[in-house]
Amino acid sequence: MTSFTPPVDDMRFLLTQVLDFDGQIATLPGCEDVSAEFAGEVLSEAARFAAEKLAPLNLPGDEQGAALEDGKVTTPEGFPQAYRDFVEAGWVGLSGNPEFGGQGLPRTLQILLDEMVSGANVSFGLFPGLTSGAAEALEHHGSEELKAQWLTGLVTGETCGAMALTEANAGTDLGLLRARAEPVGDGTYKVTGTKIFISSGDQDFGNNIVHLVLARLPDSPAGVKGISMFLVPKFLPAEDGGLGARNTMSVGALEHKMGIHAQPTCVMNYDEAIGWLVGEPGRGLKAMFTMMNNERLFVGIQGLGIAEAAHQKAANYARERLQGRSSDNTRAPVPIIEHADVRKMLLEGRAFLDAGRALAVWTAMQMDIAARHPDPEVRSQANGMVLLMTPVIKAAFTDMGFETAVKAQQVFGGHGYIHEWGMEQFVRDARITQIYEGTNGVQAMDLVGRKLPMENGDLMARFLTLVESDLAAADGSPFAAQLTEALVPLRRITQALVAQKGDVEALGAAATDTLRLVALVSLGWMWVRMVRACEGEDSAIARKTRAVAGYFFARMLPQVHALATQIEAGPETIMTMDAELF
Amino acid sequence: MTSFTPPVDDMRFLLTQVLDFDGQIATLPGCEDVSAEFAGEVLSEAARFAAEKLAPLNLPGDEQGAALEDGKVTTPEGFPQAYRDFVEAGWVGLSGNPEFGGQGLPRTLQILLDEMVSGANVSFGLFPGLTSGAAEALEHHGSEELKAQWLTGLVTGETCGAMALTEANAGTDLGLLRARAEPVGDGTYKVTGTKIFISSGDQDFGNNIVHLVLARLPDSPAGVKGISMFLVPKFLPAEDGGLGARNTMSVGALEHKMGIHAQPTCVMNYDEAIGWLVGEPGRGLKAMFTMMNNERLFVGIQGLGIAEAAHQKAANYARERLQGRSSDNTRAPVPIIEHADVRKMLLEGRAFLDAGRALAVWTAMQMDIAARHPDPEVRSQANGMVLLMTPVIKAAFTDMGFETAVKAQQVFGGHGYIHEWGMEQFVRDARITQIYEGTNGVQAMDLVGRKLPMENGDLMARFLTLVESDLAAADGSPFAAQLTEALVPLRRITQALVAQKGDVEALGAAATDTLRLVALVSLGWMWVRMVRACEGEDSAIARKTRAVAGYFFARMLPQVHALATQIEAGPETIMTMDAELF
């Protein structure tokens, strides 16, 4: 019941036929050897690892859960070995800097690896995910000395990483955090405080764990400007480079969570733990944000990956489960996939999944271009697209991912509610992706308050120009005509929101629905491109693409117009009611 | 953190100002002593019981869970005593037949009691809920002898009830069930088979439990026509009327569920267990359906009740949790209920809850009229409305209830994912309501396939006439104007679906979206009535009603038009894709 087949053929289709990996990415400096064909081989290897080594640990991992006894964290059976195998196979460092032991492969492959790992075992995926994030923050902000000491370990995954931001009273509003750091005088700091919700805060893999901790230096100003970042390792470095003395940090408790039970989410106590300053004093939040954009894309991909796994199981079940009569009343019982309502639930998921994956790959390609293209203008333009898409992918993919998991569970009827069938775990696991790394409400505010005003308010217009050029190329397609119509309200709303910059109430009232609208248009864009890419073909993927696109345009894109009406109703009906009346 | 305040003031507002309880219900035969004022007193008592005795057991009940050891089921600490107190206070028999020990109060009060109990502790509420259901089935279909033997126990709750329908291979499609019953020759039967998902199948309350089991008599035809209903008690009756020998039925296992952990959902083995035939041979499914309509309304109310409880906690939290800056940038940190996006999540919930409760009360009043009105024509008309609203309330209230619980959890940010805060339990518990008593997909098919064609296809038209008369009375209100517009597509779609009767694909493709559309229109109807009922008033309820109605019409009703577009796209995009491509 735990079988999961990463959709490698769909991924290859995107790279070769839809998004021109060879033309866009294999031509970038440092990617000369990375053809779409080679990428496909890498993905097949990754798929094998995910399906054979990670997926089988998912359900038992949920049952056993991570545990804390006598101050020691243990992960479920099989996790330590799986992590060591994952490191050894080079997967942690797939897109890492080769200077520090990484393989230097494009983000485009990383994001597809991340989807597979998340689909197979999202609790496991947080270990390498946070490790790569810590590596990236250190690479961008750490001193040469710190990088020499720690970076190879993090890039390869020999050392694990964790991010320690949240405190009980400082969640979305990190400016309220209280952890403090006192300079020792020898270049180190003593970090003291309690952090909550620390994913991968500890484990039993036998290696070191580097925490990037946000804390305040003495006499630092209140709010976010007083926050600095510190590298605080579980084991201090020994003279020989190995594991030295245990640092004075400990796991106070494991959080009791709705899901991701195999993942040790820690309450961490730092008690004058020795740390090193990363980056400049007072710039800790900025340093953390470098990494947080990637983490947000990663979380969006978790939403997609869990949804793909849940969807696959539901589709398999629907092909096998016999209930009810055929629509022509001649056969009974029939596989429930013959029933319209079951098909509809599955199509809704598939319509998100395939176009969502395409959008994620396109965004990752923009990241590769932004990182590697020789022309700084091209780099900057690509980076703008990444900034625009980051909140959309984080929030919309996790919302739609959760919805897809819920629908997939529904396909199982009563069995969906029973643990052993594995579906309820997907729903519980998916739920966290809408919350962590900035709740989806925070993402929506990021989109309308920070991203839309960028480039003098023209960032979205530039995105829509890209969309329109593909619509022009697909001229005559009814899908393209329908999407062209959907651009009208999006453009109008974007202009209004840019003009309302600083009006927090107007932006807040519009935020969530606007993000959904942008997501629907972006998915529609990918459907137009995918349909065009397989025009005239009769392969399974081509037939699926046309059929699911038909569903998307008939049954999902129309929501754009309701969203526009809702957004344009403005903030009045939201802001007027007294707080005590809610 | 477990505090829950049943919204008695809102309930009184509905009975006295909106829905004319005194004029509609207190005038019915048998209800002469039941004024709205008296009803309010009963509800206040019920609220106290729910808040003080049931709500405090909810979170600990989830943690401890029901258990099975050596064949014996134990419920969490406090449950047996709470059940005995509930029986003693007369709550099980609130609307039960006075001839058999019930209080004979209207359904209208029962449904509000059910909401409170579900909000306080949905796992607990299944014990009396299924008991009342069993009583009702027995009252309608049992022989005089069986009724004399069992009915008083069930009506008062001294005996508990359970329904045993589902088997591993027979869920939605009960025609596939295999349990069998052999006549012994003395009027009893030996019932043999294994049933799954049996809520309240066993417990440790010290009383008898009556299972209504669907099984096949020898030589009965295949399919639903071969199904009969049997009364199978845990303890056979002793000569003195007390508990006699243990029947040969046992709990094979407790299901491991996503939620409602305090509720012992049993796998039941019947091994030549002694039972009595209820109703006629081969009519078991029909007998079960008598009761299932009420159970479906009950489940819809569970969705509403859980959502109300989750919403209350979220609103309280949002008033207390300090994060971020005020919209005019002058104060920080501020209660998050000042932030537009948080308000929006809460308003979405409130817009469903208050109008949903009103619609449920209205429907329950139709049940009372259908049961008690002297004029058979009036009874029949009211019954039509109940039949129409049953699938709508079951499915839409549980879908919106789940969505409300998810949004309420989201208001808590990271804390929402942590067990101790209680929010994730609401989400896990709410999820079952979308699945059991007929999945929401089954409800939607019931609406479009069975209910819309009733009364020569005029049932919905008759409902819309009622709506229109209230819209005419609210003439000049912009809300009424907007709702009038929303009736246009609903009328058109209803006519089309009635014309497509028997076209399973067309109906199946339209079902879910049509049900949502009907629900939105029905909620809008109640908002128009509520706003009108407090016109010119300045009470807290009046101010809340106007504000939330404003939100509903600006931000939720517009979805009607997107739904209409989606429904009218027809079945083509749903039915064409090959099963293996999903």
Side-chain angles (χ1 to χ4, degrees):
Chain A
M1 281 192 287
T2 53
S3 83
F4 166 60
T5 310
V8 175
D9 288 346
D10 292 86
M11 293 173 175
R12 281 180 204 260
F13 168 67
L14 292 176
L15 297 183
T16 55
Q17 287 184 254
V18 184
L19 295 166
D20 187 20
F21 183 86
D22 282 341
Q24 297 282 314
I25 303 302
T27 53
L28 294 172
C31 294
E32 295 84 354
D33 300 334
V34 192
S35 63
E37 198 190 327
F38 172 76
E41 285 164 22
V42 172
L43 293 174
S44 294
E45 274 305 312
R48 191 150 40 236
F49 194 102
E52 291 174 8
K53 299 211 171 180
L54 301 181
L57 300 179
N58 196 38
L59 188 64
D62 182 70
E63 283 160 10
Q64 192 182 343
L68 175 67
E69 209 170 326
D70 299 332
K72 284 192 195 314
V73 169
T74 50
T75 57
E77 208 179 314
F79 272 61
Q81 186 61 48
Y83 184 78
R84 288 190 289 267
D85 292 349
F86 196 77
V87 170
E88 197 166 308
W91 295 119
V92 180
L94 185 79
S95 61
N97 189 339
E99 211 183 310
F100 298 98
Q103 297 196 50
L105 290 172
R107 275 273 162 197
T108 309
L109 294 194
Q110 180 72 50
I111 214 161
L112 290 170
L113 170 67
D114 291 343
E115 183 200 323
M116 296 185 203
V117 171
S118 301
N121 194 324
V122 74
S123 285
F124 177 90
L126 280 164
F127 293 110
L130 288 164
T131 298
S132 300
E136 198 182 342
L138 193 64
E139 187 176 346
H140 282 85
H141 301 282
S143 65
E144 290 309 315
E145 213 177 336
L146 278 181
K147 288 202 266 188
Q149 176 96 49
W150 297 105
L151 200 47
T152 300
L154 286 168
V155 167
T156 58
E158 296 288 350
T159 301
C160 277
M163 320 291 174
L165 289 73
T166 305
E167 299 176 11
N169 291 303
T172 294
D173 191 349
L174 286 169
L176 298 173
L177 69 81
R178 292 173 192 165
R180 55 188 204 280
E182 300 275 346
V184 174
D186 61 354
T188 66
Y189 295 80
K190 287 183 169 173
V191 176
T192 300
T194 296
K195 298 281 182 180
I196 64 173
F197 306 158
I198 310 307
S199 297
S200 310
D202 200 4
Q203 27 79 351
D204 53 354
F205 301 168
N207 60 1
N208 207 349
I209 307 172
V210 161
H211 287 221
L212 296 181
V213 183
L214 295 186
R216 293 181 185 285
L217 286 166
D219 307 320
S220 61
V224 297
K225 287 176 186 157
I227 298 173
S228 306
M229 186 197 277
F230 299 87
L231 183 158
V232 184
K234 178 176 177 181
F235 296 102
L236 296 168
E239 298 265 325
D240 66 356
L243 302 183
R246 187 72 164 74
N247 208 346
T248 50
M249 56 203 276
S250 61
V251 179
L254 296 187
E255 308 279 8
H256 303 118
K257 307 187 300 293
M258 183 182 193
I260 54 168
H261 289 159
Q263 167 58 229
T265 309
C266 300
V267 175
M268 289 297 310
N269 297 319
Y270 305 91
D271 183 12
E272 302 200 335
I274 297 298
W276 287 263
L277 181 67
V278 180
E280 290 172 48
R283 304 297 291 272
L285 208 60
K286 196 174 148 44
M288 201 57 97
F289 263 92
T290 314
M291 170 199 70
M292 232 184 306
N293 276 334
N294 286 345
E295 292 299 313
R296 285 175 174 184
L297 285 168
F298 176 65
V299 172
I301 292 303
Q302 289 183 323
L304 183 76
I306 297 169
E308 171 68 34
H311 176 92
Q312 281 187 18
K313 286 187 68 146
N316 286 334
Y317 183 79
R319 282 184 282 258
E320 287 165 13
R321 172 80 172 171
L322 306 175
Q323 298 276 284
R325 306 190 66 81
S326 62
S327 61
D328 61 5
N329 208 18
T330 60
R331 290 169 295 120
V334 297
I336 61 172
I337 205 162
E338 294 195 21
H339 303 317
D341 189 61
V342 172
R343 298 175 75 88
K344 187 170 181 297
M345 289 192 279
L346 291 170
L347 281 162
E348 191 99 3
R350 187 46 70 215
F352 152 58
L353 288 164
D354 289 357
R357 180 179 301 112
L359 188 66
V361 169
W362 178 80
T363 304
M365 286 169 63
Q366 302 310 305
M367 293 173 83
D368 286 322
I369 294 167
R372 300 178 189 250
H373 199 282
D375 183 341
E377 178 60 24
V378 173
R379 286 205 301 275
S380 156
Q381 294 215 347
N383 190 50
M385 292 298 111
V386 175
L387 293 174
L388 179 65
M389 281 298 132
T390 298
V392 176
I393 287 178
K394 196 286 179 181
F397 283 27
T398 59
D399 282 349
M400 293 181 181
F402 179 71
E403 292 157 20
T404 299
V406 168
K407 286 206 171 73
Q409 181 190 22
Q410 191 75 15
V411 169
F412 278 70
H415 293 119
Y417 202 65
I418 306 299
H419 175 74
E420 287 81 350
W421 292 81
M423 300 308 289
E424 60 93 33
Q425 184 189 350
F426 288 128
V427 173
R428 288 186 289 105
D429 286 356
R431 187 68 185 88
I432 189 58
T433 63
Q434 302 172 283
I435 297 172
Y436 64 13
E437 291 299 334
T439 64
N440 286 358
V442 167
Q443 306 300 323
M445 278 306 277
D446 178 52
L447 173 67
V448 299
R450 286 209 196 90
K451 302 301 167 63
L452 293 188
M454 281 182 171
E455 304 186 5
N456 296 315
D458 286 337
L459 181 59
M460 178 62 80
R462 196 153 66 69
F463 173 73
L464 295 183
T465 305
L466 288 180
V467 175
E468 280 172 327
S469 78
D470 284 313
L471 293 178
D475 190 28
S477 134
F479 298 154
Q482 200 187 329
L483 191 59
T484 302
E485 248 180 70
L487 300 187
V488 177
L490 176 52
R491 187 171 280 119
R492 191 174 64 227
I493 286 163
T494 300
Q495 286 166 356
L497 292 174
V498 168
Q500 286 168 312
K501 188 184 166 184
D503 182 343
V504 178
E505 295 186 356
L507 297 177
T512 299
D513 289 338
T514 302
L515 189 143
R516 187 77 167 206
L517 200 167
V518 173
L520 284 169
V521 165
S522 303
L523 295 178
W525 175 38
M526 286 297 144
W527 277 119
V528 168
R529 291 186 67 160
M530 288 192 287
V531 167
R532 186 150 178 268
C534 58
E535 212 172 305
E537 262 183 55
D538 191 42
S539 64
I541 283 185
R543 283 181 289 129
K544 176 183 75 159
T545 299
R546 284 190 288 272
V548 181
Y551 181 86
F552 177 84
F553 283 97
R555 298 271 179 170
M556 290 170 70
L557 195 67
Q559 290 155 24
V560 159
H561 302 287
L563 288 166
T565 305
Q566 291 162 216
I567 295 162
E568 295 183 326
E572 289 71 21
T573 56
I574 292 174
M575 300 311 300
T576 47
M577 192 158 87
D578 291 345
E580 73 268 20
L581 297 177
F582 279 78
Chain B
M1 279 192 287
T2 52
S3 83
F4 165 60
T5 309
V8 175
D9 289 347
D10 292 86
M11 294 173 175
R12 282 180 203 260
F13 168 67
L14 292 176
L15 298 183
T16 56
Q17 287 184 254
V18 185
L19 295 167
D20 187 20
F21 183 86
D22 282 340
Q24 297 281 314
I25 303 302
T27 54
L28 294 171
C31 295
E32 295 84 354
D33 301 333
V34 192
S35 64
E37 199 190 326
F38 171 76
E41 285 164 23
V42 173
L43 294 173
S44 294
E45 274 306 309
R48 193 154 36 239
F49 194 101
E52 291 174 9
K53 299 211 172 181
L54 301 182
L57 301 178
N58 196 38
L59 188 64
D62 181 69
E63 283 161 9
Q64 192 183 340
L68 175 67
E69 209 169 327
D70 297 334
K72 285 193 195 313
V73 169
T74 50
T75 58
E77 207 179 315
F79 272 61
Q81 187 60 49
Y83 183 78
R84 288 189 290 265
D85 293 348
F86 196 77
V87 170
E88 196 165 311
W91 295 119
V92 179
L94 186 77
S95 61
N97 190 339
E99 211 184 311
F100 299 98
Q103 299 196 48
L105 289 172
R107 277 273 161 197
T108 308
L109 294 194
Q110 179 71 50
I111 213 162
L112 291 170
L113 170 67
D114 291 343
E115 183 200 324
M116 296 185 203
V117 172
S118 301
N121 193 325
V122 74
S123 284
F124 177 90
L126 281 164
F127 293 110
L130 288 164
T131 298
S132 300
E136 199 182 342
L138 193 62
E139 188 177 345
H140 281 86
H141 302 281
S143 65
E144 290 309 313
E145 211 179 338
L146 278 181
K147 287 202 267 187
Q149 176 97 47
W150 297 105
L151 199 49
T152 300
L154 286 168
V155 166
T156 59
E158 296 288 349
T159 301
C160 277
M163 320 290 175
L165 289 72
T166 306
E167 299 176 9
N169 290 305
T172 295
D173 191 350
L174 286 169
L176 299 174
L177 69 81
R178 291 172 194 166
R180 56 186 204 281
E182 300 274 348
V184 173
D186 60 355
T188 67
Y189 295 80
K190 288 185 169 173
V191 176
T192 300
T194 296
K195 298 282 181 179
I196 63 173
F197 305 159
I198 309 307
S199 298
S200 309
D202 200 5
Q203 28 78 353
D204 51 354
F205 301 169
N207 59 0
N208 206 350
I209 307 172
V210 161
H211 287 221
L212 296 181
V213 183
L214 295 187
R216 292 181 185 284
L217 287 166
D219 306 321
S220 61
V224 296
K225 288 176 187 158
I227 299 174
S228 306
M229 186 197 278
F230 298 88
L231 183 159
V232 184
K234 179 175 175 181
F235 296 102
L236 295 168
E239 299 264 326
D240 65 357
L243 301 184
R246 186 76 164 73
N247 208 346
T248 49
M249 56 202 275
S250 61
V251 179
L254 294 187
E255 307 279 9
H256 303 118
K257 308 186 300 292
M258 183 183 193
I260 53 169
H261 288 160
Q263 167 58 228
T265 310
C266 300
V267 175
M268 289 299 308
N269 297 318
Y270 304 92
D271 183 14
E272 303 199 336
I274 297 297
W276 287 262
L277 181 67
V278 179
E280 291 170 46
R283 304 296 292 270
L285 207 61
K286 195 174 150 43
M288 201 57 97
F289 262 94
T290 312
M291 171 200 68
M292 232 185 307
N293 276 333
N294 286 344
E295 292 298 313
R296 285 175 173 183
L297 285 168
F298 177 66
V299 172
I301 292 303
Q302 289 183 324
L304 183 77
I306 297 169
E308 171 68 35
H311 176 91
Q312 282 187 18
K313 287 187 68 146
N316 286 335
Y317 184 80
R319 282 184 281 259
E320 288 164 12
R321 172 80 172 172
L322 307 174
Q323 299 276 283
R325 307 189 66 80
S326 61
S327 61
D328 61 5
N329 209 19
T330 60
R331 290 169 295 120
V334 296
I336 61 173
I337 205 163
E338 293 195 20
H339 303 318
D341 189 60
V342 172
R343 299 175 75 87
K344 187 170 180 299
M345 288 192 280
L346 291 171
L347 281 162
E348 192 100 2
R350 187 46 71 214
F352 152 58
L353 287 165
D354 289 357
R357 180 178 302 113
L359 188 66
V361 170
W362 180 80
T363 304
M365 287 169 62
Q366 303 310 304
M367 293 172 82
D368 286 322
I369 295 168
R372 301 179 188 250
H373 200 282
D375 183 342
E377 178 59 26
V378 174
R379 286 206 301 275
S380 156
Q381 294 215 348
N383 190 51
M385 291 299 112
V386 176
L387 293 174
L388 180 64
M389 280 299 131
T390 298
V392 176
I393 287 180
K394 195 290 179 176
F397 283 27
T398 59
D399 282 349
M400 292 180 181
F402 179 71
E403 291 157 20
T404 298
V406 167
K407 286 206 170 74
Q409 181 190 24
Q410 191 76 13
V411 168
F412 278 71
H415 293 119
Y417 202 65
I418 305 300
H419 175 73
E420 287 82 349
W421 292 80
M423 301 307 289
E424 61 93 33
Q425 184 190 349
F426 288 128
V427 173
R428 287 186 289 104
D429 286 357
R431 187 69 185 88
I432 189 59
T433 63
Q434 302 172 284
I435 298 172
Y436 65 12
E437 291 299 334
T439 65
N440 285 357
V442 167
Q443 305 300 322
M445 278 307 276
D446 178 50
L447 174 67
V448 300
R450 284 207 198 93
K451 303 301 168 63
L452 293 188
M454 282 183 171
E455 305 185 5
N456 296 315
D458 285 338
L459 181 59
M460 177 64 79
R462 198 154 64 71
F463 173 73
L464 294 183
T465 304
L466 288 181
V467 175
E468 280 172 328
S469 78
D470 284 313
L471 294 178
D475 190 29
S477 134
F479 298 154
Q482 201 186 328
L483 191 58
T484 302
E485 247 180 71
L487 300 187
V488 178
L490 176 52
R491 187 169 282 119
R492 191 174 63 226
I493 286 163
T494 300
Q495 286 167 355
L497 292 174
V498 169
Q500 286 168 314
K501 189 184 166 184
D503 182 342
V504 178
E505 295 186 356
L507 297 177
T512 299
D513 289 338
T514 301
L515 189 143
R516 186 77 166 204
L517 200 167
V518 173
L520 284 168
V521 164
S522 304
L523 295 178
W525 175 40
M526 287 296 143
W527 278 118
V528 167
R529 291 185 67 159
M530 288 191 285
V531 167
R532 187 149 177 269
C534 58
E535 212 171 303
E537 262 183 56
D538 192 42
S539 64
I541 283 184
R543 283 181 288 129
K544 178 184 75 160
T545 299
R546 284 189 288 273
V548 180
Y551 181 86
F552 177 84
F553 283 96
R555 298 273 179 168
M556 289 170 71
L557 194 67
Q559 290 154 25
V560 159
H561 302 287
L563 287 166
T565 306
Q566 291 160 217
I567 294 162
E568 294 184 325
E572 289 71 21
T573 57
I574 292 174
M575 299 312 300
T576 46
M577 193 159 86
D578 291 344
E580 74 269 18
L581 296 177
F582 279 76

